[in-house]
Amino acid sequence: MTMIPRSQERSALEQEQFLKILSREEALARFDAALFPRPIPTEMRKLADALGAALAEDVTAPIDVPPFDRSNVDGIAVRSADVVAAGEGKPVRLVLNGETIHCGTVPMLQVAAGSATAIATGGPLPRGADAVVMVEHTQPAGADAIEVRRAASPGQFVSYAGSDIARGEALLRASTIIGSREIGMLAACGIAEVAVARKPRVAVISTGDELVQPGEVLAPADIYDTNGAIVTAAIDENGGEAVFLGAIPDDEAKLEAAMRNALAEADMLVLSGGTSKGAGDLSHRIIGRLGAPGIIAHGVALKPGKPLCLAVCDGKPVVILPGFPTSAMFTFHDMIVPVLRRMAGLPPRSDAKVNATVPVRIASELGRTEFVMISLVEGRDGLIAYPTGKGSGAITSFAQADGFLRIDALADQMPAGTEAEVTLFTPHVRVPDLVIVGSHCTGLDLVTAQLAHAGLTVRSIAVGSLGGLAAAKRGECDLAPIHLFDDRSETYNTPYLVEGLELVPGWRRMQGIVFRNGDKRFEGLGAKDAVAAALTDPACIMVNRNQGAGTRILIDRLLGGARPEGYWNQPRSHNAVAAAVAQHRADWGMTIAPVAHAAGLGFIPLAEEHYDFALVTARKGRPAVRAFLDALGSNEARAALEQAGFRPA
């Protein structure tokens, strides 16, 4: 036997993966064909335990509802022919029978011509009666008679047997989700238990040496296992019964044992994650040993979600989700939820869609259908769809998005101003009460906390000061946080305002150079001297900020035309700058004092910048805007800002 070197084997596996990239539609079609049709396991449940379950079969009514003709009002049961001429000026006198019919009372006496019987709402209509006259249209006429002052037509105020539900009628159809209304219908027919689809038992395994479960101590280079918790919850939300089996390290023997045990006990297996050691390759090899037909699709022309692996092992679906949270959750909801719901006997998910304008250009990758998470805000002429822009590794991209839009595989971009169709994650559009677009600051959360506690929703989209100004000019937000220095006037923010915008003073925050304590290249120096020293050391790496950020403008002023190592590393937040320095990925950068101090880093003050708000004047009178302005000026917010290291204006 010819032995294949392990390096060649690995190369062949990788080549196989990337030579068989399928379109989203083809991958779904292959997966469905390998799994369905299949019987849905059922179980009997009592009504009290059936809420939220899916009916496994049609239910027909075993009785009529109501089971007898009954009165809809309090009054008297009559023969309509006896009172056809009755009126206020010409009452008809009837003899009262010696019984009153209440709910649960079986009538004993017939209503003969010229007679009537007192009846309560819900009481069974007595023999001989064909109508009911409301008590308000009658008048006692002695101890055993009554005057009727309103004519009655046949069937008046009578619900006939089976008028609500007829015996043999299809009461509920298979796949119907049992809610409180359905339980009421079943109870009305005397049905005590129903056959429902048994929830598919879904085993969930996270993979990776770097994963730590929430609540445990996080070591350097480790991350908390978010996918395990998210996927488990998403399975329960969509008709499954999730069983989380923990995180398995990148060990082929341990992973295979865990996968085999999971498939022995569960109806479906979902894995997620992996590291540079190749956990995805391990799973790929293991699946081939777990049963036929094995892998159906490994690699989908989808963004996010290209690494998705779909397999069927002896009739049980096995799914390997991408490791990044947004990729994992999008591919799960888009491609796995339809399969899971079908296995659970649930109807297909119905997604609401709206049209919205995309205000910025969105670059895309040719050859891959891209789904972009977006946040919706109200613009001058309708809804505006802002891309969340945090990447497939961001947990909040999926959680905070309102929906997603699709960029075709043949397009390399979606131009600004495009009218796009947005698929919502919820049945209805959740337009926030207050929209803030611009530069983000941790102090902003301290102010908007009061609005959140008052029940107002706030949407904050971080696009930088210049991006916020552009959004404010287009009328896409209420406020744009900015901190832009003008060289000519040597003032902050005011020179950047245009007609329709007004300045609301916010707070002052100290910008400066951040470095690790003990670094002799920076300790004891001023900001300008520290940067000059860094530029003379080729081994000294900086971390920059994104274009359009006010901090970037300050950095470029300090650097002049210099472009040192790390210049093109451009994170979008102060926290990311501090993290890069604290984790030794960079030696210096620029951030604000509260962030530097929170990270335990050295800080060299440079300039106190003005973090203010460009307010769209036309929106000034909106209740949420007024609430924000009140909160900004409140003693509570000012005290919180000062405690955090800011100086209120």
Side-chain angles (χ1 to χ4, degrees), residues 374-451:
I374 59 91
S375 294
L376 291 172
V377 300
E378 192 75 56
R380 291 193 183 103
D381 302 315
L383 292 174
I384 305 295
Y386 266 96
T388 57
K390 293 186 176 182
S392 60
I395 299 163
T396 54
S397 287
F398 197 87
Q400 296 178 358
D402 294 308
F404 63 88
L405 53 83
R406 171 175 173 155
I407 302 179
D408 190 78
L410 299 178
D412 64 354
Q413 64 166 314
M414 179 172 283
T418 298
E419 183 84 4
E421 183 180 71
V422 175
T423 301
L424 301 177
F425 290 137
T426 56
H428 306 289
V429 177
R430 303 178 304 172
V431 176
D433 298 305
L434 184 73
V435 178
I436 301 174
V437 179
S439 176
H440 183 260
C441 176
T442 53
L444 191 58
D445 297 329
L446 302 175
V447 178
T448 58
Q450 292 187 40
L451 278 69

Side-chain angles (χ1 to χ4, degrees), residues 495-561:
Y496 291 88
L497 299 181
V498 297
E499 185 178 355
L501 301 180
E502 56 186 89
L503 194 71
V504 175
W507 51 86
R508 307 295 174 252
R509 58 185 196 177
M510 184 61 70
Q511 289 264 27
I513 304 300
V514 64
F515 63 96
R516 289 183 297 279
N517 287 314
D519 193 329
K520 303 300 183 183
R521 293 171 295 188
F522 300 100
E523 285 194 336
L525 299 179
K528 293 182 179 179
D529 290 337
V531 172
L535 293 177
T536 62
D537 184 354
C540 193
I541 299 177
M542 74 168 294
V543 55
N544 206 343
R545 278 295 307 276
N546 57 297
Q547 291 185 344
T551 304
R552 173 64 173 267
I553 296 174
L554 287 177
I555 294 173
D556 285 341
R557 288 178 62 200
L558 275 177
L559 292 176

Side-chain angles (χ1 to χ4, degrees), residues 65-390:
V65 178
F68 47 79
D69 299 349
R70 68 185 181 192
S71 174
N72 291 336
V73 296
D74 292 338
I76 60 169
V78 301
R79 296 161 58 100
S80 59
D82 287 345
V83 296
V84 68
E88 290 292 336
K90 190 180 178 181
V92 173
R93 181 186 176 90
L94 299 174
V95 175
L96 282 173
N97 292 317
E99 68 175 351
T100 298
I101 303 172
H102 299 286
C103 290
T105 300
V106 178
M108 303 301 293
L109 302 175
Q110 178 176 335
V111 176
S115 69
T117 298
I119 191 168
T121 301
L125 203 67
R127 178 183 174 88
D130 63 2
V132 176
V133 177
M134 293 178 66
V135 68
E136 292 90 335
H137 301 143
T138 64
Q139 186 71 34
D144 58 356
I146 194 164
E147 290 185 347
V148 178
R149 298 176 180 273
R150 183 72 60 89
S153 57
Q156 176 176 288
F157 298 126
V158 175
S159 287
Y160 290 102
S163 59
D164 187 2
I165 301 170
R167 184 195 304 267
E169 177 184 343
L171 187 64
L172 294 169
R173 294 295 186 185
S175 297
T176 299
I177 307 300
I178 301 175
S180 57
R181 293 175 297 178
E182 288 74 22
I183 285 178
M185 294 172 66
L186 294 166
C189 290
I191 299 173
E193 59 179 15
V194 289
V196 300
R198 178 178 62 80
K199 289 185 176 183
R201 188 177 174 87
V202 184
V204 180
I205 296 175
S206 298
T207 63
D209 292 337
E210 78 282 13
L211 297 180
V212 175
Q213 294 306 307
E216 298 178 5
V217 177
L218 198 64
D222 283 351
I223 58 172
Y224 284 118
D225 176 18
T226 57
N227 282 359
I230 296 173
V231 172
T232 297
I235 289 168
D236 289 337
E237 285 179 341
N238 287 279
E241 180 185 331
V243 181
F244 181 55
L245 302 179
I248 307 299
D250 298 326
D251 179 286
E252 187 165 354
K254 291 181 179 179
L255 185 56
E256 180 170 354
M259 292 172 69
R260 286 187 180 277
N261 290 337
L263 285 174
E265 299 293 331
D267 303 303
M268 181 178 185
L269 172 60
V270 178
L271 300 95
S272 71
T275 70
S276 58
K277 289 184 178 181
D281 290 343
L282 290 179
S283 304
H284 178 239
R285 289 198 296 271
I286 293 168
I287 286 174
R289 304 193 289 266
L290 296 182
I295 291 177
I296 305 299
H298 193 188
V300 182
L302 189 66
K303 183 179 180 182
K306 180 180 177 182
L308 177 69
C309 179
L310 305 174
V312 177
C313 297
D314 293 339
K316 295 185 177 182
V318 179
V319 178
I320 305 176
L321 299 172
F324 278 148
T326 294
S327 293
M329 288 315 300
F330 182 81
T331 50
F332 180 84
H333 280 271
D334 182 56
M335 302 190 70
I336 311 307
V337 163
V339 170
L340 177 59
R341 291 180 68 87
R342 194 168 170 184
M343 291 176 63
L346 300 176
R349 187 181 56 203
S350 180
D351 293 325
K353 298 182 179 181
V354 296
N355 289 329
T357 301
V358 180
V360 295
R361 174 183 176 273
I362 304 175
S364 186
E365 181 180 338
L366 278 172
R368 292 171 65 186
T369 301
E370 181 166 0
F371 294 90
V372 181
M373 308 294 173
I374 59 91
S375 294
L376 291 172
V377 300
E378 192 75 56
R380 291 193 183 103
D381 302 315
L383 292 174
I384 305 295
Y386 266 96
T388 57
K390 293 186 176 182

